[in-house]
Structures are given as structure tokens and as C-alpha cells.
């Protein structure tokens, strides 16, 4: 607890929600999603999810044509998650790799989302939240991915980027099928995130709270 306080001793929230969290009027991330409150400060996520982990999924070079000529920047894709039902994916662009990663890490926190886990595998039927509750499909930039519930002990049958994202979300066993330009890692990562978000959007808050 003390390390958590030290880290945020100097933080001055800019939003009403940030102030409420610092004053501990809101103490769980579930409340934010129940109330439909939008997170505009990444510090909120670190305060409410102190076990959050972060991974860099991809770093690429992007060229942009400007009046002054061609400008190249790095684009980083970062995922954050608590390995227990919360995951966020973000991107950031900058001239330096390190700044691009920092921007992406903030963006990932601002896009944190609850996901619903379950055992939708007919082969398993254990009822524990180790996999997906049902099949979900996600897409981004010509990449489509289907996440299919799998039995306990299967592991995550997917490419490296999907493994990292699903792992940080807290999914342990799952099959995946993907279509389109799956080698485009940023689009692929966002397609996985899109599919994960659907586990939550396809149910009512009543179903996932408790
Ligand atoms: Zn099961």
C-alpha cells in the first residue's frame, strides 16, 4: 500500500474522476465501467489496477509526407493487462522509440476494458473462467480473428502477439483462427483486442458483475 501511495504522491489529477479516485471516493475499476465513466488520465488505471503489466507488441517505422519533406516516426503498439480480466491496447508515434512506447503505454491504459472469461468449451465444461465464454470475432485493417473457447490445459493456440494479449487479459486456453493480412502485426493486435472487447459488449453488466 505504501509504495502505491508514494507513486501517486505528486500526481495532480486534471479531471473530476481523477480527484474522486485520489480521494478514494471510487476504489474499484468495476465501478467506472458500471457507471460508464470515461477514463481520461492513465494514472487512474495504475491506481485502480496496481498489478497492471505492460508489454511492447510491435515497433515499426512510419513515413509521413509533410510540406517540409518526408518525416519518419516510430509507431509502437503496447498492451497492458492484469492477467485477470482487464486488458488495454494502445499505439503511440514519436521520433524516438522510447517516446513512442511511452505514448502507447498511456494510450493502452486509456483504452483498458473489462473482458468476460468463461468455459465455453464443449470438450471441457468445467465452468471456470479459463477460456472464452463463447466464440468472438474481431477485425481491424483487413485482418479478422476468431477466438474459440478451448479446454483446460490447451494453452493459447495463436501467434506470438495474440498470445501476449490474451495472456495479459487472463485467458489461459483458447483456439484462434485468423484471416487476411495477419502478418501486419498492428492490425492483427487490434483485431484481437476488438474480439476481446466483444466478450464484454455482448453481455449486460448484470452478467459479469458478481
Ligand atoms: Zn473448462
Amino acid at each position: 500500500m505504501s509504495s502505491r501511495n508514494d507513486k501517486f504522491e505528486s500526481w495532480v489529477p486534471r479531471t473530476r474522476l481523477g480527484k474522486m479516485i485520489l480521494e478514494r471516493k471510487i476504489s474499484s475499476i468495476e465501478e467506472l465501467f458500471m457507471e460508464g465513466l470515461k477514463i481520461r488520465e492513465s494514472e487512474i488505471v495504475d491506481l485502480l489496477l496496481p498489478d497492471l503489466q505492460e508489454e511492447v507488441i510491435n515497433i515499426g517505422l512510419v513515413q509521413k509526407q509533410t510540406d517540409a519533406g518526408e518525416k519518419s516516426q516510430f509507431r509502437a503498439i503496447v498492451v497492458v493487462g492484469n492477467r485477470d480480466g482487464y486488458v488495454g491496447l494502445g499505439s503511440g508515434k514519436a521520433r524516438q522509440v522510447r517516446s513512442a512506447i511511452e505514448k502507447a503505454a498511456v494510450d493502452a491504459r486509456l483504452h483498458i476494458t473489462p473482458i468476460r472469461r468463461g468455459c465455453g468449451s464443449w470438450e471441457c465444461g468445467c465452468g471456470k473462467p479459463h477460456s472464452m465464454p463463447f466464440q468472438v470475432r474481431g477485425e481491424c485493417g483487413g485482418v479478422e480473428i476468431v477466438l474459440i473457447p478451448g479446454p483446460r490445459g490447451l494453452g493459447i493456440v495463436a501467434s506470438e502477439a495474440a498470445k501476449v494479449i490474451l495472456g495479459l487479459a487472463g485467458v489461459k486456453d483458447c483456439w484462434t483462427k485468423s484471416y487476411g493480412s495477419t502478418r501486419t502485426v498492428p492490425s492483427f493486435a487490434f483485431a484481437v483486442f476488438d474480439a476481446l472487447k466483444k466478450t464484454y459488449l455482448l453481455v449486460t453488466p448484470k452478467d459479469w458483475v458478481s
Side-chain angles (χ1 to χ4, degrees):
M1 267 325 241
S2 66
S3 65
R4 185 173 152 182
N5 288 341
D6 294 347
K7 195 174 166 192
F8 292 98
E9 215 161 64
S10 59
W11 179 49
V12 181
R14 302 180 308 274
T15 62
R16 202 166 67 91
L17 182 60
K19 285 183 193 115
M20 285 170 80
I21 284 157
L22 205 62
E23 289 163 9
R24 293 173 194 261
K25 283 179 183 153
I26 292 177
S27 55
S28 78
I29 196 148
E30 286 83 3
E31 281 178 76
L32 301 190
F33 289 96
M34 281 289 286
E35 307 282 330
L37 299 167
K38 183 128 177 66
I39 301 169
R40 294 196 169 83
E41 295 174 279
S42 64
E43 291 87 349
I44 290 172
V45 179
D46 287 304
L47 268 171
L48 296 180
L49 292 174
D51 298 330
L52 202 70
Q53 294 173 25
E54 186 179 308
E55 295 266 3
V56 178
I57 294 285
N58 185 252
I59 292 165
L61 203 56
V62 287
Q63 310 284 348
K64 197 177 140 193
Q65 211 61 244
T66 65
D67 293 341
E70 206 166 73
K71 196 175 135 194
S72 60
Q73 282 189 309
F74 291 101
R75 184 197 192 203
I77 309 288
V78 167
V79 60
V80 294
N82 70 341
R83 295 194 183 277
D84 195 18
Y86 281 91
V87 69
L89 189 71
S91 73
K93 275 188 220 166
R95 298 287 295 275
Q96 260 123 32
V97 172
R98 202 176 150 174
S99 319
I101 292 172
E102 277 166 12
K103 281 186 186 176
V106 167
D107 192 47
R109 282 166 173 77
L110 297 179
H111 288 97
I112 195 114
T113 181
I115 66 142
R116 192 183 187 215
R117 291 165 298 162
C119 174
S121 165
W122 59 268
E123 305 152 272
C124 184
C126 71
K128 298 214 165 71
H130 65 95
S131 186
M132 321 299 301
F134 36 73
Q135 185 170 309
V136 279
R137 193 177 284 265
E139 58 187 320
C140 177
V143 181
E144 197 181 333
I145 187 152
V146 186
L147 306 178
I148 305 155
R152 264 179 119 173
L154 173 76
I156 300 168
V157 184
S159 70
E160 197 49 43
K163 268 187 191 168
V164 173
I165 297 168
L166 291 166
L168 282 178
V171 174
K172 292 188 179 73
D173 308 295
C174 162
W175 306 98
T176 56
K177 269 192 208 163
S178 52
Y179 312 91
S181 32
T182 51
R183 284 200 205 161
T184 315
V185 179
S187 296
F188 181 76
F190 278 99
V192 173
F193 186 45
D194 183 47
L196 280 172
K197 282 195 273 194
K198 284 180 184 161
T199 61
Y200 170 70
L201 295 173
L202 294 175
V203 292
T204 63
K206 242 192 264 166
D207 290 325
W208 60 270
V209 173
S210 75

